Amino acid sequence: MITFCRLRPAEGVTEVWAATRRREGTTCVEVGGAELEGALAGGLLPVAASPEIDAPAWVVSPADALELAKRGVSGWRITVVDEGTREEVLDAITRSRATFLRTGRSRVADAVALAALPAVDTRVSVFVDSVDDAVTAVDAGAGDLLLRDWSTESIGELRDALAPRTLAER
């Protein structure tokens, strides 16, 4: 199964902005802090880029993922950004039990190699801008796709292109 998330990085999120993005299909927004309430009020799941922000979920560096794990945050709420050394990333995804490892399209194969190691239970997540980008990432081993501003029709095209694999929104 290949999962996807309609995610949008943003600053200055207000309730009206979030509600508009929600009507357009966005489900999650990456926030810096004060925007948390605007995102929630507008119907979006806020995802924080810093462990200092009390959020439902985080997308953070390996060091910050370890900090969240020390505080008892469950791994299903953590996405580790593929930055730093291979050892730092591996340490973070195994010790935090992060569900996702976010990487760039050019690094999918390296991230997949980390995710395939024994005792690692994470999915490689990557932003894609087109159906072709998505198919290439999935063929390289990505298990989670991050979609910015994708229409329902584009998601349908992606579902068809990935068949017989299952595509599910998370």
Side-chain angles (χ1 to χ4, degrees):
M1 175 184 304
I2 307 301
T3 58
F4 72 92
C5 180
R6 296 190 243 189
L7 176 73
R8 178 180 214 129
E11 293 180 14
V13 176
T14 65
E15 179 179 351
V16 171
W17 182 92
T20 301
R21 300 293 87 72
R22 179 73 182 137
R23 281 192 300 277
E24 293 170 352
T26 299
T27 55
C28 299
V29 63
E30 287 185 27
V31 298
E35 301 96 343
L36 197 72
E37 271 133 50
L40 286 169
L44 297 179
L45 176 70
V47 179
S50 167
E52 304 305 317
I53 300 167
D54 188 22
W58 292 267
V59 176
V60 292
S61 69
D64 288 344
L66 292 173
E67 175 61 33
L68 288 167
K70 284 181 191 172
R71 292 187 349 215
V73 173
S74 297
W76 64 267
R77 297 173 64 191
I78 302 172
T79 296
V80 174
V81 177
D82 185 11
E83 63 183 28
T85 67
R86 178 180 167 94
E87 292 78 13
E88 290 168 332
V89 173
L90 180 59
D91 187 43
I93 60 177
T94 54
R95 290 180 46 208
S96 72
R97 296 186 166 175
T99 299
F100 299 103
L101 172 60
R102 180 184 293 177
T103 195
R105 287 194 303 261
S106 65
R107 294 190 36 81
V108 169
D110 293 334
V112 168
L114 280 178
L117 291 171
V120 176
D121 187 21
T122 192
R123 297 178 64 117
V124 175
S125 185
V126 62
F127 274 104
V128 293
D129 297 320
S130 69
V131 171
D132 288 340
D133 289 346
V135 170
T136 299
V138 168
D139 287 347
D144 182 63
L145 304 172
L146 303 173
L147 313 179
R148 281 182 284 231
D149 301 323
W150 280 51
S151 67
T152 303
E153 292 79 19
S154 295
I155 294 170
E157 289 173 24
L158 176 59
R159 183 167 284 131
D160 292 344
L162 292 175
R165 295 169 282 206
T166 302
L167 181 67
E169 188 164 11
R170 64 173 168 102

